[in-house]
Amino acid sequence: MARYRRGLQAFNRWGIQDNGSHSGSKRGSRQSVLLAGLVGTEAQETTLHPLVGRVFVHTLDHEAFLHLAEHVAVPPSVPVTYHAHLQGHPDLPRWLRYTQRSPHHPGFLYGTATPEDRGRQVIEVTVYNRDSFDTTRQSLVLLIGDPEGPLLPYQAEFLVRSHDVEEVLPSTPASHFLTALGGLWEPGELQLLNITSALDRGGRVPLPIEGRKEGVYIKVGSASPFSTCLKMVASPDSHARCAQGQPPLLSCYDTLAPHFRVDWCNVSLVDKSVPEPVDEVPTPGDGILEHDPFFCPPTEATARDFLTDALITLLVPLLVALLLTLLLAYVMCCRREGRLKRDQATSDIQMVHHCTIRGNTEELRQMAASRDVPRPLSTLPMFNVRTGERLPPQVDSAQVPLILDQH
């Protein structure tokens, strides 16, 4: 019932109002449409066959998950988001990526499997309808195998700055890119090996200005060797010109323009037709170094007693500290001059002057302590400034006004 209520709210947003004036037949048809839309909540399973070393792209389209009745079209304004992860894990496998420009655009699962990824992998996709809050699940069973046909030892990677990764993942733009690139390559079949967003390679997010794109790296492989034009573009002389801000060496016509704006300074070529030399495997030895005349380690280590070193390390600082303490005590306690020596070293005139000043100071202090001076009248209570009269002590001060009459 709760699912029916959420679905009913979603269809009300799409223009189907639940008014009581509708006839019973219309209400019954609306309920049938709603039940048809909820069938998609059950888990679905789709089997896909990615190939090792070939780009894999799977489109997550809204219409594949919103199963409505035939006479009800999927509104383009329905926001739908996806969450994909490897079964039993919180994230996707390392070779697979997910992207979606906005909830109103389809999502894409893309990547290139490696030989270590052979086998069976299950990707669980959860679809969220942001209007009705309904969810749908789908399981993608990936059976990763080896590709058929000849090997592709000649591989080239291009940076296309005029597109985002979501614009190249569909099959139509990808086929257009391969067709346009065929004019710069030797005759042969070209295949997409990998597609990576420039943001995943450390690129910057472009400013929100019309015409600015994130950029995408497209890796193409072929069994035919590189053309002279591609070799010249990837030569060291061309890279040196790019480092100086000059255009690269492009001796042929750019067949990718104007639909694809390729950065020819970021073209890399990989030739796997020549096998790389196998590194020599080190042979384990017996663990004993060979005789070396420049290295003569000692045969034996003589026994050594560390008691003397420990005593010197501890006792020498203690003795120095004790001597400094005794010297300081002698200076402070045993070298005092005393009052008698001080008086003998002082002249008689200075002593008389000092005693006179001290005696006069004591006499002034005694006189100040014994003098009897009446208190000022202004400090007495209820004193009249004009007449100089004071209230008798028997008068109740509570009956006397604060401000006396002026006579």
Side-chain angles (χ1 to χ4, degrees):
M1 183 61 67
R3 183 178 296 176
Y4 171 79
R5 188 178 297 109
R6 292 196 303 267
L8 185 59
Q9 294 175 359
F11 278 91
N12 288 339
R13 293 192 185 96
W14 296 344
I16 303 177
Q17 303 296 332
D18 187 13
N19 297 327
S21 60
H22 285 184
S23 61
S25 61
K26 292 183 178 180
R27 185 179 295 109
S29 61
R30 181 171 60 252
Q31 292 179 358
S32 63
V33 171
L34 175 62
L35 294 177
L38 296 176
V39 174
T41 58
E42 299 180 358
Q44 304 174 2
E45 186 172 314
T46 304
T47 303
L48 302 174
H49 299 273
L51 299 178
V52 174
R54 304 293 188 271
V55 65
F56 166 77
V57 179
H58 178 68
T59 305
L60 303 175
D61 200 355
H62 298 0
E63 299 180 357
F65 298 95
L66 296 177
H67 296 277
L68 303 180
E70 295 181 358
H71 61 279
V72 179
V74 178
S77 60
V78 178
V80 177
T81 56
Y82 306 89
H83 176 70
H85 64 91
L86 182 64
Q87 188 178 31
H89 297 78
D91 205 351
L92 291 171
R94 59 182 180 179
W95 66 273
L96 198 60
R97 292 186 178 92
Y98 163 76
T99 183
Q100 184 183 15
R101 179 59 57 179
S102 70
H104 299 281
H105 292 80
F108 294 95
L109 289 173
Y110 68 100
T112 302
T114 60
E116 292 79 10
D117 300 320
R118 292 191 188 95
R120 183 176 182 272
Q121 295 182 355
V122 179
I123 306 298
E124 294 182 351
V125 181
T126 305
V127 187
Y128 300 93
N129 189 334
R130 295 303 179 180
D131 271 352
S132 62
F133 302 101
D134 288 337
T135 59
T136 305
R137 282 191 174 183
Q138 184 184 32
S139 297
L140 303 178
V141 181
L142 305 183
L143 303 179
I144 305 174
D146 294 327
E148 298 179 355
L151 300 178
L152 307 178
Y154 301 96
Q155 302 175 5
E157 190 174 51
F158 305 89
L159 174 57
V160 182
R161 296 191 177 275
S162 58
H163 289 70
D164 294 332
V165 65
E166 297 88 356
E167 300 173 351
V168 182
L169 290 176
S171 58
T172 303
S175 60
H176 290 172
F177 181 83
L178 294 179
T179 303
L181 184 61
L184 301 177
W185 209 307
E186 296 292 338
E189 183 182 0
L190 302 179
Q191 296 188 19
L192 288 177
L193 302 183
N194 194 11
I195 297 177
T196 308
S197 174
L199 300 182
D200 298 335
R201 296 284 192 89
R204 294 185 177 182
V205 178
L207 296 175
I209 302 177
E210 185 178 2
R212 297 291 183 92
K213 300 292 183 177
E214 298 174 358
V216 58
Y217 284 90
I218 301 178
K219 192 173 186 180
V220 182
S222 176
S224 302
F226 302 116
S227 62
T228 307
C229 178
L230 292 179
K231 293 180 180 180
M232 185 176 297
V233 169
S235 63
D237 296 339
S238 180
H239 290 301
R241 290 174 58 88
C242 292
Q244 298 176 359
Q246 301 178 5
L249 298 175
L250 187 62
S251 60
C252 54
Y253 177 72
D254 187 2
T255 57
L256 295 171
H259 303 289
F260 299 94
R261 183 166 56 88
V262 178
D263 186 359
W264 294 106
C265 292
N266 285 277
V267 176
S268 60
L269 304 180
V270 178
D271 186 1
K272 295 185 178 181
S273 59
V274 180
E276 297 180 359
V278 181
D279 297 336
E280 296 182 0
V281 180
T283 303
D286 52 1
I288 301 176
L289 297 177
E290 299 179 358
H291 176 69
D292 188 359
F294 301 99
F295 177 70
C296 299
T299 56
E300 296 182 359
T302 58
R304 184 178 178 183
D305 188 9
F306 294 94
L307 178 61
T308 305
D309 298 340
L311 294 177
I312 293 176
T313 304
L314 297 177
L315 295 180
V316 171
L318 291 178
L319 291 177
V320 174
L322 181 60
L323 292 177
L324 294 178
T325 303
L326 295 176
L327 180 61
L328 181 62
Y330 173 75
V331 172
M332 296 182 62
C333 302
C334 303
R335 296 287 296 175
R336 302 187 64 179
E337 297 180 355
R339 296 182 59 184
L340 179 61
K341 185 176 181 180
R342 183 195 63 185
D343 295 342
Q344 293 177 358
T346 306
S347 61
D348 296 338
I349 298 176
Q350 186 176 358
M351 292 295 297
V352 171
H353 181 65
H354 175 72
C355 293
T356 303
I357 294 176
R358 185 173 181 182
N360 295 338
T361 304
E362 294 293 335
E363 184 178 0
L364 291 175
R365 289 178 178 177
Q366 294 176 2
M367 292 174 61
S370 61
R371 62 184 179 180
D372 187 10
V373 180
R375 295 175 60 186
L377 297 178
S378 59
T379 61
L380 298 178
M382 302 306 293
F383 171 73
N384 194 334
V385 181
R386 296 185 59 188
T387 60
E389 298 179 356
R390 290 181 295 178
L391 293 178
Q394 65 273 11
V395 177
D396 187 7
S397 60
Q399 303 298 329
V400 179
L402 295 178
I403 301 177
L404 302 177
D405 297 336
Q406 303 293 332
H407 299 288

